[in-house]
Amino acid sequence: MKIASFNVNSVKARLNNLTQWLSETNPDVVCLQELKCVDEAFPREAIEDLGYNVAVHGQKTYNGVAILSKFPMEDVTPRLPGDDSDEQARYIEALISTGTTPIRVGGLYLPNGNPVHTEDGALHEKYTYKLAWMDRLIKHAEILLTLEEPFVLAGDYNIIPQAEDCHKPSAWKDDALFRQESRDKFRKLINLGLTDSFRACHTEPNRYTFWDYQAGAWQKDNGIRIDHLLLSPQAADMLSACDVDKEIRGREKPSDHVPIWIELDIPE
DNA sequence: ATGGTCGCCGAGCGA
């Protein structure tokens, strides 16, 4: 079973790019981020025509996440628990009925968190929101782990886990994507017992999932690895491959992110 | 390079 994550940076602007990639690579499950549209505006028919069930948690202009699945989905739950006042559409979860072992999939768009500081030097609310959101994700992962089932937390984490996951670490030193507090929260998630799929399959440095639109970042391979699929121990036991569809970034009208995917060997 | 580039929507923000 192939499970992918793709921050499309507007699903409407990216529809042709997205459907072409879906047709070519045929993933079973896809977590999408940054839809930038409400549920009613999601191009549902075009996706369903390719054989996917669709679960959307949209938002006007900002954020928005979805799960596409060739298998039926049960228990579809938008929102990350822990703060009922949070209106930002950044999380959706579903139980994927594979026919044998069900796989729980959480699709997430973790807050960017910049700027880190306000003008007077205090921590900016955007950064504290990011850290608080990560605390909620950690708590939720702890609860999912008690179920002792295979699950995948896939999405745009807006976290560069290590120096080797970016082109120029010094440029990111004080950025919300690389600051120590941010990376510590990500480590905390990993240390619960989750597996970073990409690092379980690859040791080489400088493999990226995002290249900025600005300043020729793509041409210079000035990228960062911020899209991740984290696995519960039961899912990690099924992991057979993980890779990044880098070539997508060089196509016409691309997203600034590219898809990352895993292959899970589900037992009969 | 206090710029650069996208996408939202129709000015300026978010990334």
Side-chain angles (χ1 to χ4, degrees), chain A residues 133-155:
Chain A
W133 205 95
M134 294 188 81
D135 283 334
R136 287 165 60 196
L137 183 62
I138 290 163
K139 280 206 178 81
H140 188 55
E142 285 174 332
I143 287 166
L144 292 181
L145 281 164
T146 65
L147 303 175
E148 300 191 339
E149 290 171 352
F151 70 81
V152 182
L153 293 175

Side-chain angles (χ1 to χ4, degrees), chain A residues 84-210:
Chain A
D84 292 342
S85 69
D86 186 358
E87 298 292 334
Q88 300 190 32
R90 294 181 175 276
Y91 189 83
I92 186 167
E93 185 178 301
L95 188 65
I96 309 294
S97 303
T98 64
T100 56
T101 311
I103 310 286
R104 193 171 299 275
V105 172
L108 64 102
Y109 176 43
L110 208 146
N112 177 294
N114 284 305
V116 172
H117 295 291
T118 60
E119 284 183 18
D120 59 15
L123 287 182
H124 198 285
E125 63 184 352
K126 286 189 179 298
Y127 190 54
T128 56
Y129 174 68
K130 176 180 193 148
L131 296 178
W133 205 95
M134 294 188 81
D135 283 334
R136 287 165 60 196
L137 183 62
I138 290 163
K139 280 206 178 81
H140 188 55
E142 285 174 332
I143 287 166
L144 292 181
L145 281 164
T146 65
L147 303 175
E148 300 191 339
E149 290 171 352
F151 70 81
V152 182
L153 293 175
D156 177 0
Y157 280 71
N158 270 313
I159 292 285
I160 303 165
Q162 303 286 346
E164 57 264 36
D165 297 314
C166 65
H167 178 73
K168 190 182 172 190
S170 62
W172 293 95
K173 190 168 69 74
D174 297 316
D175 193 281
L177 279 62
F178 192 59
R179 277 175 65 91
Q180 199 60 50
E181 302 100 312
S182 308
R183 293 162 61 196
D184 283 349
K185 299 280 187 207
F186 187 79
R187 284 304 300 169
K188 200 167 173 184
L189 206 46
I190 295 292
N191 287 337
L192 295 177
L194 302 187
T195 294
D196 176 346
S197 298
F198 187 81
R199 278 288 166 242
C201 295
H202 299 271
T203 55
E204 71 273 20
N206 310 110
R207 293 287 308 273
Y208 310 130
T209 63
F210 169 95

